[in-house]
Amino acid sequence: MKISTLHDLYIEELRDIYDAENQLVKALPQVSKAANNEELKNSIEEHLEQTKEHVNRLEKIFQNVGESPKGKKCAAMQGLLQEAKELLEEDIEPEVLDAGIIAAAQRVEHYEIAVYGTLVTYAKLLGNEEDADQLEQTLDEEKETDETLTDLAESSINVEASEEEEEGEEKGSRGRKGAAAK
Ligand code: FE
Ligand code: FE
């Protein structure tokens, strides 16, 4: 498709995030299954339900503008999810894995926040207030999810992961002492 106008670019960006959201709907169940912390699991599952709604909202927007939502692959989301998948395949302590899942999930949210921020601006510039409201609602949910993940990281999960490190270090130092005593 030739992109001549801001409207064309708007449609292209909408298609990109539509594909990204659909990739997430497929990937999130796997991520929540891998998470160990119950709160983290729950917040991922909650965001999966929100993500399905993000897909619905986008479909309504495409209906309103009379365009097809299909036709673009979001390479960025593919890459972010590929990295998350690699993390899940690592030999990794459960607490540390949870910290890594939060890091991966926040990368995803920040990407989405950037895209939806742009889309809200374009919708307003194009005089489409109804779309702008819908997109802003999704933007707010992505931001809330990002904040929830930050809270989880700060309150417990990263702390548990850092304690994991201390235990590891203690074991290591005991080992070294043992070796020195010989
Ligand atoms: Fe989303
Ligand atoms: Fe999201």
Side-chain angles (χ1 to χ4, degrees):
M1 179 180 127
K2 185 168 190 302
I3 299 170
S4 319
T5 63
L6 188 68
H7 176 81
D8 295 343
L9 186 61
Y10 176 61
I11 300 299
E12 278 301 286
E13 298 274 10
L14 282 169
R15 284 187 178 134
D16 182 86
I17 196 71
Y18 181 73
D19 180 67
E21 296 279 25
N22 276 298
Q23 287 187 46
L24 273 173
V25 168
K26 277 192 209 141
L28 284 178
Q30 231 179 309
V31 180
S32 89
K33 217 176 120 191
N36 298 283
N37 179 287
E38 276 308 310
E39 275 180 86
L40 178 59
K41 242 185 211 307
N42 290 342
S43 69
I44 295 167
E45 273 156 30
E46 222 172 273
H47 195 55
L48 171 61
E49 292 315 306
Q50 283 182 330
T51 302
K52 289 177 188 167
E53 188 51 34
H54 299 171
V55 171
N56 289 338
R57 280 187 199 132
L58 289 168
E59 282 172 353
K60 271 182 215 137
I61 290 172
F62 278 105
Q63 261 174 9
N64 290 344
V65 294
E67 297 273 358
S68 161
K70 299 218 170 84
K72 202 163 190 301
K73 188 102 231 146
C74 178
M77 187 58 74
Q78 239 175 347
L80 291 171
L81 291 175
Q82 176 59 33
E83 286 191 3
K85 220 181 114 197
E86 282 166 17
L87 178 80
L88 300 188
E89 285 163 4
E90 293 285 350
D91 176 17
I92 183 167
E93 291 295 332
E95 292 85 356
V96 183
L97 174 64
D98 283 354
I101 287 175
I102 291 180
Q106 285 195 294
R107 281 187 183 82
V108 167
E109 291 315 308
H110 284 219
Y111 177 75
E112 290 187 294
I113 289 166
V115 177
Y116 280 108
T118 300
L119 285 170
V120 170
T121 306
Y122 288 180
K124 283 182 181 162
L125 280 170
L126 294 164
N128 201 332
E129 284 303 323
E130 215 180 295
D131 286 7
D133 285 350
Q134 291 291 304
L135 294 163
E136 201 143 35
Q137 219 174 309
T138 298
L139 175 62
D140 288 343
E141 288 173 6
E142 309 292 16
K143 285 182 182 168
E144 276 166 30
T145 300
D146 180 50
E147 279 162 24
T148 304
L149 290 165
T150 297
D151 289 345
L152 278 174
E154 286 175 350
S155 68
S156 57
I157 291 174
N158 285 3
V159 177
E160 280 163 26
S162 70
E163 279 161 3
E164 185 60 47
E165 185 169 304
E166 277 162 26
E167 277 168 34
E169 271 171 21
E170 269 166 35
K171 275 179 220 156
S173 64
R174 264 200 299 275
R176 276 195 295 278
K177 266 182 215 154
K182 268 183 206 168

PDB file of all heavy atoms in Angstrom, residues 21 24 47 50-51 54 109 112 116 138 142, ligand 1:
ATOM      1  N   GLU A  21      -1.274  -6.998  19.055  1.00  0.00           N
ATOM      2  CA  GLU A  21      -2.220  -7.431  20.095  1.00  0.00           C
ATOM      3  C   GLU A  21      -2.601  -8.899  19.897  1.00  0.00           C
ATOM      4  O   GLU A  21      -2.722  -9.647  20.863  1.00  0.00           O
ATOM      5  CB  GLU A  21      -3.492  -6.561  20.066  1.00  0.00           C
ATOM      6  CG  GLU A  21      -3.273  -5.085  20.390  1.00  0.00           C
ATOM      7  CD  GLU A  21      -3.169  -4.790  21.886  1.00  0.00           C
ATOM      8  OE1 GLU A  21      -2.798  -5.680  22.682  1.00  0.00           O
ATOM      9  OE2 GLU A  21      -3.463  -3.624  22.238  1.00  0.00           O
ATOM     10  N   LEU A  24       0.019 -11.110  21.122  1.00  0.00           N
ATOM     11  CA  LEU A  24      -0.011 -11.158  22.590  1.00  0.00           C
ATOM     12  C   LEU A  24      -1.091 -12.105  23.098  1.00  0.00           C
ATOM     13  O   LEU A  24      -0.870 -12.844  24.067  1.00  0.00           O
ATOM     14  CB  LEU A  24      -0.281  -9.763  23.150  1.00  0.00           C
ATOM     15  CG  LEU A  24       0.944  -8.885  23.362  1.00  0.00           C
ATOM     16  CD1 LEU A  24       0.499  -7.490  23.762  1.00  0.00           C
ATOM     17  CD2 LEU A  24       1.852  -9.490  24.427  1.00  0.00           C
ATOM     18  N   HIS A  47      -4.520  -9.087  32.229  1.00  0.00           N
ATOM     19  CA  HIS A  47      -4.140  -8.306  31.047  1.00  0.00           C
ATOM     20  C   HIS A  47      -4.444  -9.049  29.751  1.00  0.00           C
ATOM     21  O   HIS A  47      -4.681  -8.424  28.722  1.00  0.00           O
ATOM     22  CB  HIS A  47      -2.665  -7.891  31.093  1.00  0.00           C
ATOM     23  CG  HIS A  47      -2.355  -6.821  30.100  1.00  0.00           C
ATOM     24  ND1 HIS A  47      -3.047  -5.627  30.046  1.00  0.00           N
ATOM     25  CD2 HIS A  47      -1.483  -6.760  29.066  1.00  0.00           C
ATOM     26  CE1 HIS A  47      -2.596  -4.901  29.049  1.00  0.00           C
ATOM     27  NE2 HIS A  47      -1.646  -5.560  28.435  1.00  0.00           N
ATOM     28  N   GLN A  50      -7.916  -8.033  29.016  1.00  0.00           N
ATOM     29  CA  GLN A  50      -7.894  -6.657  28.490  1.00  0.00           C
ATOM     30  C   GLN A  50      -7.397  -6.658  27.043  1.00  0.00           C
ATOM     31  O   GLN A  50      -7.926  -5.920  26.200  1.00  0.00           O
ATOM     32  CB  GLN A  50      -6.955  -5.785  29.328  1.00  0.00           C
ATOM     33  CG  GLN A  50      -7.542  -5.341  30.657  1.00  0.00           C
ATOM     34  CD  GLN A  50      -6.572  -4.449  31.416  1.00  0.00           C
ATOM     35  OE1 GLN A  50      -5.349  -4.584  31.293  1.00  0.00           O
ATOM     36  NE2 GLN A  50      -7.117  -3.553  32.220  1.00  0.00           N
ATOM     37  N   THR A  51      -6.401  -7.467  26.775  1.00  0.00           N
ATOM     38  CA  THR A  51      -5.802  -7.494  25.434  1.00  0.00           C
ATOM     39  C   THR A  51      -6.823  -7.953  24.395  1.00  0.00           C
ATOM     40  O   THR A  51      -6.875  -7.413  23.286  1.00  0.00           O
ATOM     41  CB  THR A  51      -4.553  -8.402  25.437  1.00  0.00           C
ATOM     42  OG1 THR A  51      -3.633  -7.892  26.410  1.00  0.00           O
ATOM     43  CG2 THR A  51      -3.861  -8.422  24.081  1.00  0.00           C
ATOM     44  N   HIS A  54      -8.746  -5.096  23.621  1.00  0.00           N
ATOM     45  CA  HIS A  54      -8.005  -4.165  22.751  1.00  0.00           C
ATOM     46  C   HIS A  54      -8.174  -4.572  21.286  1.00  0.00           C
ATOM     47  O   HIS A  54      -8.320  -3.727  20.415  1.00  0.00           O
ATOM     48  CB  HIS A  54      -6.514  -4.146  23.114  1.00  0.00           C
ATOM     49  CG  HIS A  54      -6.260  -3.693  24.523  1.00  0.00           C
ATOM     50  ND1 HIS A  54      -5.027  -3.770  25.125  1.00  0.00           N
ATOM     51  CD2 HIS A  54      -7.099  -3.148  25.449  1.00  0.00           C
ATOM     52  CE1 HIS A  54      -5.122  -3.296  26.360  1.00  0.00           C
ATOM     53  NE2 HIS A  54      -6.360  -2.933  26.582  1.00  0.00           N
ATOM     54  N   GLU A 109       4.691  -3.568  27.193  1.00  0.00           N
ATOM     55  CA  GLU A 109       3.770  -2.464  27.532  1.00  0.00           C
ATOM     56  C   GLU A 109       4.310  -1.132  27.029  1.00  0.00           C
ATOM     57  O   GLU A 109       3.559  -0.315  26.496  1.00  0.00           O
ATOM     58  CB  GLU A 109       3.514  -2.410  29.039  1.00  0.00           C
ATOM     59  CG  GLU A 109       2.703  -3.582  29.585  1.00  0.00           C
ATOM     60  CD  GLU A 109       1.495  -3.927  28.737  1.00  0.00           C
ATOM     61  OE1 GLU A 109       0.689  -3.032  28.431  1.00  0.00           O
ATOM     62  OE2 GLU A 109       1.356  -5.098  28.344  1.00  0.00           O
ATOM     63  N   GLU A 112       3.641  -0.796  23.383  1.00  0.00           N
ATOM     64  CA  GLU A 112       2.226  -0.519  23.128  1.00  0.00           C
ATOM     65  C   GLU A 112       1.868   0.918  23.507  1.00  0.00           C
ATOM     66  O   GLU A 112       1.106   1.581  22.806  1.00  0.00           O
ATOM     67  CB  GLU A 112       1.347  -1.494  23.923  1.00  0.00           C
ATOM     68  CG  GLU A 112       1.416  -2.907  23.404  1.00  0.00           C
ATOM     69  CD  GLU A 112       0.404  -3.788  24.108  1.00  0.00           C
ATOM     70  OE1 GLU A 112       0.552  -4.007  25.332  1.00  0.00           O
ATOM     71  OE2 GLU A 112      -0.537  -4.234  23.446  1.00  0.00           O
ATOM     72  N   TYR A 116       0.088   3.439  20.944  1.00  0.00           N
ATOM     73  CA  TYR A 116      -1.246   4.014  21.210  1.00  0.00           C
ATOM     74  C   TYR A 116      -1.183   5.523  21.428  1.00  0.00           C
ATOM     75  O   TYR A 116      -2.104   6.237  21.045  1.00  0.00           O
ATOM     76  CB  TYR A 116      -1.927   3.304  22.392  1.00  0.00           C
ATOM     77  CG  TYR A 116      -2.557   1.990  21.996  1.00  0.00           C
ATOM     78  CD1 TYR A 116      -1.997   0.785  22.395  1.00  0.00           C
ATOM     79  CD2 TYR A 116      -3.694   1.961  21.193  1.00  0.00           C
ATOM     80  CE1 TYR A 116      -2.559  -0.420  22.018  1.00  0.00           C
ATOM     81  CE2 TYR A 116      -4.270   0.761  20.803  1.00  0.00           C
ATOM     82  CZ  TYR A 116      -3.699  -0.433  21.216  1.00  0.00           C
ATOM     83  OH  TYR A 116      -4.252  -1.627  20.830  1.00  0.00           O
ATOM     84  N   THR A 138      -7.607   2.223  25.727  1.00  0.00           N
ATOM     85  CA  THR A 138      -6.604   1.164  25.667  1.00  0.00           C
ATOM     86  C   THR A 138      -5.264   1.675  26.194  1.00  0.00           C
ATOM     87  O   THR A 138      -4.604   0.994  26.986  1.00  0.00           O
ATOM     88  CB  THR A 138      -6.438   0.651  24.216  1.00  0.00           C
ATOM     89  OG1 THR A 138      -7.684   0.109  23.786  1.00  0.00           O
ATOM     90  CG2 THR A 138      -5.374  -0.422  24.130  1.00  0.00           C
ATOM     91  N   GLU A 142      -2.933   0.053  29.171  1.00  0.00           N
ATOM     92  CA  GLU A 142      -1.528  -0.364  29.016  1.00  0.00           C
ATOM     93  C   GLU A 142      -0.676   0.311  30.098  1.00  0.00           C
ATOM     94  O   GLU A 142       0.218  -0.307  30.684  1.00  0.00           O
ATOM     95  CB  GLU A 142      -0.971   0.002  27.632  1.00  0.00           C
ATOM     96  CG  GLU A 142      -1.811  -0.426  26.433  1.00  0.00           C
ATOM     97  CD  GLU A 142      -1.898  -1.916  26.187  1.00  0.00           C
ATOM     98  OE1 GLU A 142      -1.574  -2.703  27.084  1.00  0.00           O
ATOM     99  OE2 GLU A 142      -2.332  -2.299  25.081  1.00  0.00           O
TER     100      GLU A 142
HETATM  101 FE    FE B   1      -2.885  -4.089  24.463  1.00  0.00          FE
END
